């Protein structure tokens, strides 16, 4: 099984609060991703990273930001949460920059902004 | 650029077969297949690469037709554990080496 961990698993927070969703992997993978997924819907790529100090925006515009200071850690931050940010956020990693290897997903953080 | 999956949903009895299709309007470099059960993370099933190499680890087969820019996932003799939403993810020249996922196919296997 893949070793990629996300915390918290569930988060309910009020509008305007700053939040950080944590993602860590112990596999030494260079490439990491954040996907946003509404219930029963497809996954949308919001951020990705090729390695340390590399961050890129994905296909879906997001007000969140990410950082990659260590290979194993790829946190996502929302400076001011809004109800429109309510969704599930999935972190993933892969060992190669190309896509000849599978993505390993964490269990996700289900965020509710009230 | 998002791949199109069909059908959107399918209901099977245990032991029946199913085919899920994934097609793209752009030339494909690779196609990934994942299964997601309710409340859980997507789990890798299969990668199909341009040139015909196929990699997977479950007793589920797939095909990749580069000319038609489509892939099909074959579920044979379905089991209750096959229930879930199946997503294809495609990589093409415009995706910066990232996967773009289809809307998913919800598969329900009944006893």
């Amino acid at each position: 099984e893949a070793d990629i961990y996300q915390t918290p698993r569930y988060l309910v927070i009020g509008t305007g609060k700053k939040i950080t969703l944590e993602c860590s992997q112990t596999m030494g993978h260079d490439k990491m991703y954040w996907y946003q997924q509404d219930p029963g819907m497809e996954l949308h790529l919001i951020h990705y990273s090729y390695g340390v100090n590399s961050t890129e925006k994905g296909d879906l515009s997001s007000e969140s930001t990410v950082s990659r200071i260590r290979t194993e850690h790829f946190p996502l931050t929302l400076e001011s949460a809004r109800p429109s940010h309510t969704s599930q956020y999935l972190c993933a990693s892969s060992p190669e920059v190309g896509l000849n290897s599978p993505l390993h997903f964490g269990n996700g953080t289900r965020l509710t902004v009230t | 650029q998002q791949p199109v999956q069909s059908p959107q949903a399918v209901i099977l009895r245990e032991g029946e077969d199913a085919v899920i299709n994934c097609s793209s309007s752009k030339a494909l470099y690779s196609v990934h297949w994942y299964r997601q059960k309710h409340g859980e993370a997507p789990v890798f099933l299969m990668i199909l690469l341009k040139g015909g190499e196929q990699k997977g680890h479950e007793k589920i087969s797939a095909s990749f037709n580069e000319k038609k820019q489509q892939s099909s996932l074959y579920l044979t003799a379905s089991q209750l554990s096959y229930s879930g939403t199946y997503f294809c993810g495609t990589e093409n020249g415009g995706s910066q080496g990232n996967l773009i996922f289809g809307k998913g196919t919800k598969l329900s296997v009944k006893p």
Side-chain angles (χ1 to χ4, degrees):
Chain A
E1 286 295 321
D3 294 325
I4 180 163
Y5 307 100
Q6 290 187 244
T7 57
R9 187 79 172 90
Y10 301 93
L11 179 62
V12 180
I13 201 161
T15 298
K17 300 291 186 184
K18 177 180 179 179
I19 59 169
T20 296
L21 309 184
E22 301 289 348
C23 175
S24 295
Q25 50 97 3
T26 60
M27 297 171 284
H29 288 174
D30 284 325
K31 197 161 181 188
M32 296 189 73
Y33 314 78
W34 277 102
Y35 285 90
Q36 184 175 341
Q37 183 184 34
D38 292 327
M41 303 296 287
E42 68 264 48
L43 295 87
H44 291 288
L45 182 66
I46 51 175
H47 298 283
Y48 61 99
S49 166
Y50 291 110
V52 171
N53 293 326
S54 155
T55 60
E56 303 285 345
K57 288 190 179 294
D59 304 313
L60 182 67
S61 176
S62 173
E63 294 167 344
S64 59
T65 58
V66 292
S67 62
R68 189 89 183 274
I69 298 172
R70 302 196 315 266
T71 297
E72 62 271 22
H73 196 213
F74 191 40
L76 180 145
T77 298
L78 275 167
E79 290 293 331
S80 179
R82 295 209 298 267
S84 60
H85 296 140
T86 294
S87 188
Q88 174 166 250
Y89 294 83
L90 288 162
C91 181
S93 71
S94 66
E96 298 176 19
V97 174
L99 284 171
N100 293 341
S101 296
L103 269 61
H104 300 269
F105 284 90
N107 283 325
T109 294
R110 193 171 297 274
L111 173 67
T112 303
V113 183
T114 61
Chain B
Q1 203 170 0
Q2 182 181 37
V4 177
Q5 286 187 236
S6 63
Q8 290 184 339
V10 59
I11 300 174
L12 298 174
R13 291 288 180 190
E14 242 182 323
E16 292 181 339
D17 301 340
V19 180
I20 300 171
N21 300 302
C22 174
S23 62
S24 173
S25 59
K26 295 199 169 193
L28 297 175
Y29 294 169
S30 68
V31 179
H32 290 220
W33 287 95
Y34 293 82
R35 176 173 61 212
Q36 185 178 31
K37 294 183 180 286
H38 182 71
E40 297 181 8
V43 173
F44 165 75
L45 295 175
M46 188 90 56
I47 291 177
L48 298 112
L49 305 174
K50 188 177 180 180
E53 185 181 357
Q54 174 179 310
K55 294 197 278 187
H57 61 68
E58 287 196 9
K59 294 179 181 178
I60 294 173
S61 63
S63 64
F64 183 17
N65 188 320
E66 293 172 40
K67 283 188 177 179
K68 291 186 178 180
Q69 296 165 186
Q70 66 185 33
S71 174
S72 295
L73 188 72
Y74 304 97
L75 303 164
T76 306
S78 59
Q79 305 167 19
L80 295 176
S81 61
Y82 285 8
S83 293
T85 301
Y86 289 76
F87 291 98
C88 71
T90 57
E91 179 199 7
N92 56 49
S95 62
Q96 288 86 46
N98 297 313
L99 285 181
I100 302 171
F101 285 93
K103 291 184 182 294
T105 296
K106 186 173 182 180
L107 178 74
S108 300
V109 181
K110 308 291 186 186

